[in-house]
């Protein structure tokens, strides 16, 4: 007997942003992300409360993948940040904080959502066209001919994540490795369009960071016993490789539903093994040197291949399949039938290697665009953070290769941009509004909200009670101890700006970021020699920052535009 | 699903406090005299006896986030180095409280982090001066072993001898003089109190057993041959020694010559005793195991072309509870326990070479290799009405036996389980099957007996079968070693097998685990010392150097504002960089306090001091001396050489007794420091704990205060 239950009516809430619950939830979320921001950001311990794995992090990707949010508004926010992070890796926290700030700032104003959204869009396009223009004063060209700027890039990413627990020496070491790993993925003779290779991160937990290294080719982890059983290959030419993505374990393929009846004395297992041995015979007659299998190879087949001096390695795992295909030029073989000769690929050489307590089988490619970054860190939680950070750094380098510009980091881009917008909206509002229905007053209000949202993003770089200043010439960020004695002493108290490009010995005027100041034209067009001389700049990825800016403004617009939340209660 | 978030960093820092309280439980495990603890489970009234930090943490409830991280750090250290765990735990505690005190004084977190890591890094660089090179250990052993070998050595290396530099001769003279002066010092120093060396050597009173005289004899023998090897390798050593001498201040120069020969370790026994940290019985076994491996390697390689490496993966332990402690020993080959029912088989197989097969998985009818999926829906039907008398397992076991008979195999080593029926059948046909054999043992037999490991018995062919294995009872009288579960210990070995089993015995079953743990701790200590070819002067010398160096560094940064170190701050443009100098001395002093606590606990634990305060005062006194001297490392080396000149100690028994030097392993120790500090700094920088999933719903409402929900 089935019972029918009447459906519950859907729950409809209007003006969701005005409720107390949403406000507190958003402010808790904002507190979490702002406290993580920057090189001195505070860490979060994420765990399930039952003694499971503890993730110590200050990265948006790790944070958001562990957070389980329920409220639809917060869900919109986290999903769009996650989307941004999955395609750009960098600037996740920036996006989150900016979005929260925008929502908060606009709510204080008494303007209709339509006006706010329209003006926000105008300001966004103003920002983007400025950051992309030749006159932009907060970006520098990236010269791939020298390692200096590239190392600055990597270092900026590494130092912004304190949970990696790197010392200065270790940071330098890992930066150099990341750069090498990146350079190894660029094909040597590229004509037309380049297809980048891949850097695989191989875990080696428990070892010293300084023991990390980069090797061209692929490392397959094996037990010592397995490795010692491998026969030494003596061959001067390249080795012929067969790569299987199907299992060679000799199990009987799925028979579907129903029962298979076999008569006594017939062994299906033996039949399957015979089929495998036939396959082995073909491999031998095709003069294959190396058989790699994603899954399991039947021990008898392995023994058979070994007898004919073929190295057989199984249980490679799905993650290595794509890089292996790329590197060896094989077609993964998916059936036990006959193998077409063009499925085979080749490697230059193979050898064995030992790092820490782990043993590896090392495949050396003919042309290296695949490399392995053997990454060490002392414990699991710091290793996980370091791995994510290295991936971000590699991604940032790739994005920069496409668009060879870097934004000045350390908050200088944000303060500079805010100064530029203030100046534009004051001196040239018509060019922004064009033939829109919005008034100039509305524009001023929204521009102020927008700029202070940008400025409080960089305000969150400060976690130890310092104050943030901006200079009136370049619009860069400077940090100073709270309640510092006297304004006249500033050139002595300050050392350099956030990105490290300018120092305080220049004749500059400073004012607190929180205070109101009259709009000024931040100096555009960076002098070339200034960039060349600075060796230790903090840099941000242009592509990632542009996307972050866009995602933040658009998500804020979307959330501000919500008028009803309809919940299905069934 | 909901998620809770808790701020952990309001006024008092919960994470740091938890770390200090966890660490407090392990303080008695610091140093060579460890007091055992009983851990009692209140629910099931079971208790365990423990005497190591790893076992302690296994029994503690570490489910809190910080506890979990602590466990992770300890496990990582244990899995990588197997030593330094008590140091790690203690320093976690000491530095957590040091960091908390910094917080109370209002030092910004980022500054604590950067100055502390800078300080520790400085220490790790400074302690290099206390490295003791471990070289030529096996050259010496080789020559002591057989005299004829030594002769061939000196002949082949004659070209070096023809051009000895002057220093070499001086060195040799020095060495000879040392021996002479030793005899002189006995009478001079016998009456002197031996107080000052306690700092560097926590209570290592060698029991006056036969062992001592052997040690002494060995080291004397080694000394003579070492002199030989010094000449051989003189150029290398001269170079390092000279640079060392130059770096010392002038006042110390006179000691340098005296310490030349002293601070080099090239005798295995001396090294082993120095690394035993009071556990001589375990270390003796380890040392013997190394000797056995070395001898085996020499025999195998003939003229020793490859330098010998101690291979710890080829050392095994076999625990036999119930036997007296004196039965512990080290044997070449594989010792394991088998059921008494194998008795007749072993008697039969004794005194003849046996053929061997190695099986990787289980040896049962139903076993299939890993990754093989059995189809469930396959049914076998009988065509005719003939009845099967035997079960399929019976048929399978018969088949296996047939294969064994065919290849004349009498010994089967199986990595997994073995079918009971098969074992029975094999016993009847005088064949021995041993299950649950370690993979490295299999590998050792594969190498030595020429066998190839297979997964199934059907794979066996002539090439897979190994030969020449010898099976005997471990002791001549088998009844000696029957334990409660009526099992006997047997020994399997073959010509040239690179496998050493340490038989560990103890009359008290509860102490078996402790005994085994200690054996491995000693083995890994020696392993790392030999691998790195260097050790530290031990007994607290390294920690004392760190303590005094940090004090000097703190004083220096008080006097002149040292801006060079702001680079340790990741964020150099921040205001913190410019205010670093103000806080730096304070933070460095707190870091040094951690060492001070470490040393005083170490001294207190060795029972020479009635209170930690007394121990602390004693250290303070030495610290003052060391900082006044200007060069703490010279001060320590100086103290050491004073200690060393009292090489004979007419204590208690009035017997001639060598006071061995104490050594410490290098990288594992520094890594333990680093892990401890990393953990503390990780906890320090954490401001909130985010609990995901339903974890918090089980908490009661009182606990839930302070949580925010998303």
């Amino acid at each position: 007997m089935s019972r029918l239950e009447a459906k519950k009516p859907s729950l409809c809430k209007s003006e969701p942003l005005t409720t107390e619950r949403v406000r507190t939830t958003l402010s808790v979320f904002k507190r979490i992300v702002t406290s993580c921001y920057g090189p001195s950001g505070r860490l979060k311990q994420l765990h399930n409360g039952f003694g499971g794995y503890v993730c110590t992090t200050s990265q948006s990707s790790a944070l958001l993948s562990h957070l389980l949010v329920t409220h639809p508004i917060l869900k919109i926010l986290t999903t769009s940040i996650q989307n941004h992070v999955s395609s750009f890796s960098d600037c996740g926290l920036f996006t989150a904080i900016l979005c929260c700030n925008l929502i908060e700032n606009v709510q204080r104003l008494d303007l209709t959502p339509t006006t706010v959204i329209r003006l926000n869009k105008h300001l966004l396009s103003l920002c983007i066209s400025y950051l992309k223009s030749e006159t932009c004063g907060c970006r520098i060209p990236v010269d791939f001919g020298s390692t200096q700027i590239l190392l600055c890039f990597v270092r900026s990413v590494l130092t912004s994540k304190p949970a990696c627990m790197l010392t200065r020496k270790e940071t330098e070491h890992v930066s150099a490795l990341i750069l090498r790993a990146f350079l190894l993925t660029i094909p040597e003779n590229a004509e037309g369009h380049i297809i980048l290779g891949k850097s695989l991160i191989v875990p080696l937990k428990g070892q010293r960071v300084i023991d990390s290294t980069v090797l061209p080719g692929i490392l397959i982890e094996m037990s010592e016993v397995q490795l010692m059983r491998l026969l030494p290959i003596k061959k001067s030419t390249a080795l012929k490789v067969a790569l299987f993505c199907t299992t060679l374990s000799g199990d009987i393929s799925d028979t579907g539903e129903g029962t298979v009846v076999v008569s006594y004395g017939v062994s299906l297992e033996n039949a399957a093994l015979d089929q495998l041995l036939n396959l082995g015979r073909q491999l031998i007659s095709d003069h294959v040197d190396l058989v790699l299998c994603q899954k399991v190879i039947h021990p008898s087949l392995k023994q058979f291949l070994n007898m004919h001096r073929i190295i057989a390695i199984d249980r490679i795992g799905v993650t290595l399949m794509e890089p292996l295909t790329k590197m060896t030029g094989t077609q993964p073989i998916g059936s036990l039938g006959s193998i077409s000769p063009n499925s085979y690929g080749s490697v230059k050489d193979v050898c064995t290697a030992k790092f820490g307590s782990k043993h590896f089988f090392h495949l050396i490619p003919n042309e290296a665009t695949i490399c392995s970054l053997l990454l060490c860190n002392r414990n699991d939680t710091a290793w996980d953070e370091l791995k994510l950070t290295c991936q971000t750094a590699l991604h940032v380098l790739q994005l920069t290769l496409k668009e060879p510009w870097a934004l000045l980091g350390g908050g200088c881009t944000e303060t500079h941009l805010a100064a530029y917008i203030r100046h534009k909206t004051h001196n040239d509002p018509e060019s922004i509004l064009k033939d829109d229905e919005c008034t100039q007053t509305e524009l001023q209000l929204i521009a102020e909200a927008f700029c202070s949202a940008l400025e409080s993003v960089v305000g969150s770089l400060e976690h130890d009670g310092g104050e943030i200043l901006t200079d009136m010439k370049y619009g860069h960020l400077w940090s100073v101890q709270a309640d510092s004695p006297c304004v006249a002493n500033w050139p002595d108290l300050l050392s350099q700006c956030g990105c490290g490009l300018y120092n305080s010995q220049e004749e500059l005027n400073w004012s607190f970021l929180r205070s109101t100041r009259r709009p000024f034209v931040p100096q555009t067009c960076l002098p070339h020699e200034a960039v060349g001389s600075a060796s230790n700049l903090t840099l941000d990825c242009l592509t990632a920052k542009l996307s972050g800016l866009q995602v933040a403004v658009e998500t804020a617009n979307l959330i501000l535009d919500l008028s009803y939340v309809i919940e299905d209660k069934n | 699903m909901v998620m809770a978030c808790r701020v952990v960093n309001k006024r008092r820092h919960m994470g740091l406090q938890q770390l200090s309280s966890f660490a407090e439980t392990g303080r008695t495990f610091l140093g060579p005299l460890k007091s055992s603890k009983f851990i009692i489970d209140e629910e099931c009234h079971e208790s365990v006896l423990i005497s190591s930090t790893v076992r302690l943490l296994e029994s503690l409830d570490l489910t809190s986030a910080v506890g979990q991280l602590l466990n992770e750090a300890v496990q990582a250290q244990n899995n990588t180095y197997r030593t330094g765990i008590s140091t790690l735990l203690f320093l976690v505690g000491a530095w957590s409280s040091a960091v908390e005190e910094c917080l109370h004084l209002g030092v910004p977190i980022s500054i604590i982090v950067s100055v502390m890591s800078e300080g520790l890094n400085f220490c790790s660089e400074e302690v290099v001066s206390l490295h003791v090179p471990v070289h030529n250990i096996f050259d010496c052993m080789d020559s002591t072993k057989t005299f004829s070998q030594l002769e061939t050595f000196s002949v082949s290396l004659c070209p070096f001898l023809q051009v000895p530099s002057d220093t070499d001769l001086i060195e040799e003279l020095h060495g000879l003089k040392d021996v002479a002066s030793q005899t002189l010092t006995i009478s001079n120093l016998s009456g002197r109190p031996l107080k000052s060396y306690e700092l560097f050597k926590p209570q290592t009173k060698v029991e006056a057993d036969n062992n001592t005289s052997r040690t002494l004899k060995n080291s004397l023998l080694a000394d003579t041959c070492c002199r030989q090897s010094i000449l051989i390798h003189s150029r290398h050593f001269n170079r390092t020694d000279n640079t060392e001498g130059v770096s010392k201040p002038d006042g110390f120069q006179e000691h340098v010559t005296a310490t030349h020969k002293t601070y080099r370790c090239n005798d295995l026994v001396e090294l082993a005793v120095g690394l035993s940290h009071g556990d001589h019985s375990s270390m003796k076994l380890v040392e013997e195991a190394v000797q056995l491996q070395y001898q085996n390697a020499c025999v195998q390689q003939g003229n020793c072309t490859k330098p010998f490496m101690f291979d710890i993966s080829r050392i095994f332990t076999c625990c036999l509870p119930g036997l007296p402690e004196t039965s512990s020993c080290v044997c070449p080959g594989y010792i394991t326990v088998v059921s008494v029912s194998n008795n007749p088989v072993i008697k039969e197989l004794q005194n003849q070479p046996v053929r061997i097969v190695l099986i990787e998985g289980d040896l049962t009818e139903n076993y299939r290799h890993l990754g093989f999926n059995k189809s469930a829906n396959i049914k076998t039907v009988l065509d005719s009405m003939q009845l099967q008398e035997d079960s399929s397992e019976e048929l399978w076991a018969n088949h296996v036996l047939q294969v064994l008979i065919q290849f004349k195999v009498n010994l089967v080593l199986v990595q997994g389980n073995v079918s009971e029926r098969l074992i029975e059948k094999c016993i009847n046909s005088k064949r021995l099957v041993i299950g649950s054999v370690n993979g490295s043992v299999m590998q050792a037999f594969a190498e030595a007996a020429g066998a190839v490991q297979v997964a199934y018995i059907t794979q066996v062919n002539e090439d897979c079968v190994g030969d020449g294995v010898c099976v005997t009872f471990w002791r001549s009288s088998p009844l000696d070693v029957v334990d409660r579960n009526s099992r006997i210990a047997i020994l399997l070995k073959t010509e040239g097998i690179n496998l050493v089993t340490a038989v560990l015995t103890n009359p008290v079953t509860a102490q078996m685990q402790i005994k085994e743990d200690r054996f491995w701790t000693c083995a890994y200590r020696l392993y790392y010392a030999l691998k790195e070819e260097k050790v530290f002067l031990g007994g607290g010398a390294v920690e004392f150097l760190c303590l005094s160096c940090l004090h000097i560094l703190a004083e220096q940064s008080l006097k002149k504002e040292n801006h060079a170190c702001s680079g340790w701050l990741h964020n150099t443009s921040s205001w913190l960089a410019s205010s670093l100098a103000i806080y730096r001395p304070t933070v460095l002093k707190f870091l040094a306090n951690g060492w001070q606590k470490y040393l005083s606990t170490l001294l207190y634990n060795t029972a020479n001091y009635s209170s930690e305060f007394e121990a602390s005062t004693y250290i303070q006194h030495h610290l003052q001396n060391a900082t006044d001297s200007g060069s703490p490392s010279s001060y320590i080396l100086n103290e050491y050489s004073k200690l060393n000149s009292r090489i004979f100690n007419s204590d208690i028994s009035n017997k001639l007794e060598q006071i061995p030097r104490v050594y410490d392993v290098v990288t594992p120790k520094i890594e333990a420091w680093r892990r401890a500090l990393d953990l503390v700094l990780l906890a320090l920088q954490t401001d909130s704990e985010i609990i995901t999933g339903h974890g918090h719903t089980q908490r009661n409402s009182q606990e839930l205060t302070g949580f925010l929900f998303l």
Side-chain angles (χ1 to χ4, degrees), chain B residues 342-370:
Chain B
N342 283 304
N343 236 344
V345 183
I346 292 151
K347 275 188 188 133
E348 179 81 19
L349 295 179
Q350 253 174 341
N351 312 320
Q352 54 163 318
V354 172
R355 282 160 67 85
I356 183 173
V357 158
L358 306 169
I359 304 281
E360 280 177 319
D362 290 354
L363 191 56
T364 56
E365 190 214 351
N366 292 319
Y367 172 77
R368 293 293 177 275
H369 56 276
L370 221 61

Side-chain angles (χ1 to χ4, degrees), chain A residues 188 216-217 236-241 326-329 345-349 363-370:
Chain A
E188 261 174 53
S236 50
T237 53
L239 306 172
K240 200 170 186 184
V241 182
K326 252 189 193 170
M327 194 185 90
T328 57
S346 71
V347 290
K348 191 175 168 193
D349 201 3
L363 299 171
I364 301 158
N366 289 313
E367 282 171 45
T369 58
I370 300 271

Side-chain angles (χ1 to χ4, degrees), chain B residues 34 36 94 119 146 157 203 247 315-316 320 371 382 447 478 522 590:
Chain B
K34 302 182 198 305
S36 302
T146 54
L157 289 162
Q203 191 78 19
S247 66
I315 304 280
F316 284 89
L320 298 176
L382 294 175
E447 283 165 19
C522 283
F590 277 114

Side-chain angles (χ1 to χ4, degrees), chain B residues 533-546:
Chain B
E533 297 194 317
K534 61 188 178 217
V535 284
F536 276 137
L537 284 181
V542 199
E543 288 81 2
F544 181 76
L545 181 61
C546 293

Side-chain angles (χ1 to χ4, degrees), chain A residues 505-525:
Chain A
Q505 297 316 311
E506 254 183 279
E507 300 255 316
L508 295 172
N509 284 320
W510 287 276
S511 86
F512 284 107
L513 198 63
R514 289 173 294 132
S515 66
T516 48
R517 54 198 163 267
R518 87 191 146 69
F520 64 97
V521 203
Q523 186 173 328
T524 52
C525 296

